[in-house]
Amino acid sequence: MALNFCSVCFEKQMTIDRLEQENARLRQKLRSEERRGKEGFFLSSTPSSKLLVKINTPAPILRKPRGARQGHQGSGRKLIEETAADRIIDIAADPECCCPLCHGILEQKGSHSRHVIESRSIRAEREVYHLPKMYCPRCRKAYHTPLPGVLPRSLYGNALITTAVTMHYLHGIPMGRICEQIGIGPGSLVEVFHRLSRLFEHVPQELIEQYRTAPVKHADETGWRTEGKNGYAWLFATPTLSIFQFRKTRSAEVPRAIFGQEPLPGTLVVDRYAGYNKVPCAIQYCYAHLLREVESLEQEFPDAAEVKAFANTLAPLLALAMGLRNQHISDKQFSAASAEVKAQIIAAVDSPAAHLGIRRIQNIFRDNASRLYHWAADRAIPAENNLAERDLRPTVIARKVSFGSQSDAGAKTRGILMSVLVTLKKRGFDVTTRLKEVLDEIARNPTQNPFPLLFPGAGP
């Protein structure tokens, strides 16, 4: 049956519809602006350094009673065994020591032990060595005895070099503070770092070869300025190695140079950045980023019942998938639990939805199904990229302190030395001790390849 509308009523209804749509758009824009004011420009992905207003620190919780619980073994201060002490110092008694009360002469009655943990100054010490000068009467040539613990033509000893490079590139201590503590100028220190990076220049490529064959690989990137211009710090890591690359671009050419063109074994865990799409191995997307998008959708539409129901269904499943591999269950139990969680996630993203925000997230799962469920088939593959995030955190802190690198040479030096130092730490070495041992060995034979000295019998 045809419906007849009065032209005036039709225009009124059109105006009402237009105003309702405009009102809905303005409410959504207002919510977005309110969130942006609280959470920053990138909403829930905004780093803490970019927040305009930070939440006040909560009141401190009342201190818990000290000591172990009833029936539990305590973990208080332990005495130092003499066999484990670095040095034992005997203090001689003062023969003229008097009693503080009666001022009488004290008699010695044996001794007692006092356990102290002390630190020695790291300030540079100036040393002069008198080395024998040798002469061959047959060749008529003079030879100088090499100095142990010092690289050829180096003013600084290996102990000082390893201490300074570890403090700056591993512990993140600013260059100025190191110069104050050690007592040498910043120009000299920079030249020491550059020489060390030239010595280890080919080590990152050896690490790249090991990275390519690793069964589980991680990658991530963050901003890093060089010469005052925007660039990126790239990280390619496994549980036993880290490769840092400081580049002026975020294009796919950086991961392409790391992964090469030939098909590789293993799985790469990354976020959904398109620069990794062409890597020649399987990809597992990070669930933490997807969980953040689901939570952001719920915050953006707090009054939408459909959005709330979708978030309450999918968010716990994503969180469970990320933590399932670390639960104390057998591999058989993990396989059953992971298959069930995967099926529930697929059911949630395949269910019909009217809200466009829900459809957008569902399309992410549907379009990238081949990159979202490797964690369920292999317990060794995590559903999150926390390893790379943790490895990049010291670089983010260094960026806040130093504002990046002052030159391309400085960025290259940082990439080489951080790759060496962080990999040494991951493989359980005492970084300072190990690095000094390697430099001492190179001082004895400068033509040696440093990689097998740094990582003997290394594997991915």
Side-chain angles (χ1 to χ4, degrees):
M1 182 177 66
L3 298 177
N4 294 322
F5 289 99
C6 169
S7 60
V8 177
C9 295
F10 182 75
E11 290 180 1
K12 288 182 178 179
Q13 187 61 45
M14 291 287 291
T15 303
I16 291 173
D17 294 341
R18 179 178 56 80
L19 291 176
E20 286 180 347
Q21 293 176 2
E22 183 179 357
N23 193 17
R25 287 197 301 270
L26 290 175
R27 282 201 302 268
Q28 180 179 349
K29 186 176 180 180
L30 179 60
R31 283 196 297 266
S32 299
E33 292 298 328
E34 289 176 348
R35 286 189 61 202
R36 189 168 284 112
K38 294 179 181 179
E39 302 179 10
F41 181 79
F42 299 103
L43 301 180
S44 59
S45 300
T46 305
S48 60
S49 61
K50 300 293 184 181
L51 294 178
L52 299 178
V53 180
K54 298 185 180 180
I55 301 175
N56 294 332
T57 304
I61 303 174
L62 295 178
R63 197 177 191 88
K64 295 182 179 180
R66 295 185 177 182
R69 293 182 180 180
Q70 189 70 24
H72 289 245
Q73 184 178 1
S75 57
R77 181 187 300 177
K78 295 180 176 59
L79 296 179
I80 303 172
E81 298 291 340
E82 291 197 0
T83 56
D86 295 307
R87 61 181 58 85
I88 299 174
I89 303 173
D90 295 323
I91 304 296
D94 186 359
E96 299 181 359
C97 185
C98 300
C99 175
L101 297 178
C102 67
H103 304 289
I105 301 299
L106 297 177
E107 297 178 359
Q108 186 171 354
K109 296 290 186 179
S111 64
H112 76 284
S113 299
R114 173 79 182 275
H115 302 263
V116 176
I117 298 177
E118 185 57 280
S119 174
R120 303 297 173 187
S121 173
I122 62 172
R123 192 166 186 83
E125 298 178 352
R126 290 163 175 79
E127 300 175 341
V128 177
Y129 291 87
H130 296 284
L131 302 173
K133 185 176 180 180
M134 311 304 292
Y135 176 77
C136 178
R138 296 179 61 183
C139 300
R140 297 184 179 182
K141 289 185 178 181
Y143 296 94
H144 297 280
T145 302
L147 182 60
V150 181
L151 293 173
R153 301 182 180 275
S154 175
L155 176 62
Y156 303 103
N158 293 339
L160 184 145
I161 292 175
T162 54
T163 299
V165 73
T166 304
M167 290 172 65
H168 185 58
Y169 291 107
L170 189 63
H171 303 311
I173 300 176
M175 190 88 70
R177 298 293 175 267
I178 298 175
C179 294
E180 291 176 4
Q181 294 182 40
I182 293 181
I184 64 176
S188 301
L189 197 60
V190 168
E191 184 53 39
V192 167
F193 293 160
H194 286 333
R195 179 177 183 181
L196 203 60
S197 73
R198 290 192 294 270
L199 190 64
F200 298 144
E201 186 173 8
H202 301 292
V203 171
Q205 185 59 42
E206 299 277 358
L207 294 177
I208 289 173
E209 296 298 328
Q210 295 184 0
Y211 176 77
R212 290 175 177 175
T213 60
V216 180
K217 310 175 239 298
H218 297 259
D220 201 1
E221 71 288 332
T222 188
W224 184 267
R225 293 173 68 84
T226 302
E227 292 186 300
K229 298 179 181 178
N230 291 335
Y232 291 89
W234 292 77
L235 169 72
F236 303 91
T238 72
T240 58
L241 64 84
S242 291
I243 303 165
F244 291 87
Q245 301 271 315
F246 293 85
R247 298 289 184 266
K248 293 183 178 180
T249 178
R250 202 188 180 197
S251 70
E253 67 182 25
V254 178
R256 191 182 303 120
I258 297 293
F259 290 91
Q261 303 293 333
E262 300 297 325
L264 297 177
T267 303
L268 174 65
V269 184
V270 290
D271 55 20
R272 298 196 329 275
Y273 174 51
Y276 302 106
N277 286 346
K278 298 279 183 75
V279 297
C281 67
I283 294 178
Q284 168 65 53
Y285 281 157
C286 175
Y287 274 23
H289 293 77
L290 296 169
L291 177 59
R292 193 179 301 142
E293 292 202 24
V294 174
E295 293 172 344
S296 297
L297 180 65
E298 184 180 16
Q299 294 174 8
E300 189 172 355
F301 300 98
D303 300 329
E306 186 182 14
V307 171
K308 188 175 184 63
F310 176 75
N312 290 340
T313 301
L314 186 58
L317 293 174
L318 298 179
L320 180 58
M322 288 188 285
L324 190 60
R325 65 191 292 263
N326 295 321
Q327 293 184 6
H328 298 290
I329 57 177
S330 65
D331 291 343
K332 184 176 180 180
Q333 292 173 320
F334 171 82
S335 298
S338 62
E340 182 179 354
V341 173
K342 174 183 175 181
Q344 293 178 4
I345 293 175
I346 294 175
V349 299
D350 285 344
S351 59
H355 197 279
L356 295 180
I358 298 177
R359 290 183 181 179
R360 181 183 65 83
I361 294 178
Q362 287 179 330
N363 288 336
I364 294 175
F365 282 83
R366 293 168 182 167
D367 298 341
N368 301 282
S370 62
R371 298 180 174 181
L372 285 169
Y373 304 109
H374 293 290
W375 63 270
D378 188 350
R379 192 172 188 173
I381 302 174
E384 30 70 22
N385 201 20
N386 288 346
L387 185 144
E389 300 281 352
R390 289 192 296 267
D391 278 8
L392 268 182
R393 181 164 179 77
T395 303
V396 174
I397 297 173
R399 179 183 63 199
K400 296 180 181 180
V401 175
S402 65
F403 305 104
S405 299
Q406 305 305 311
S407 65
D408 290 336
K412 181 180 179 181
T413 293
R414 176 175 286 274
I416 294 172
L417 296 182
M418 286 189 65
S419 299
V420 172
L421 298 176
V422 176
T423 301
L424 281 173
K425 182 179 179 181
K426 281 187 171 183
R427 298 190 180 183
F429 291 107
D430 182 307
V431 178
T432 305
T433 303
R434 184 64 181 174
L435 191 58
K436 184 182 182 306
E437 292 173 353
V438 171
L439 293 182
D440 290 346
E441 187 63 31
I442 293 176
R444 287 189 288 269
N445 183 5
T447 61
Q448 292 187 88
N449 180 7
F451 185 81
L453 298 177
L454 288 165
F455 313 108

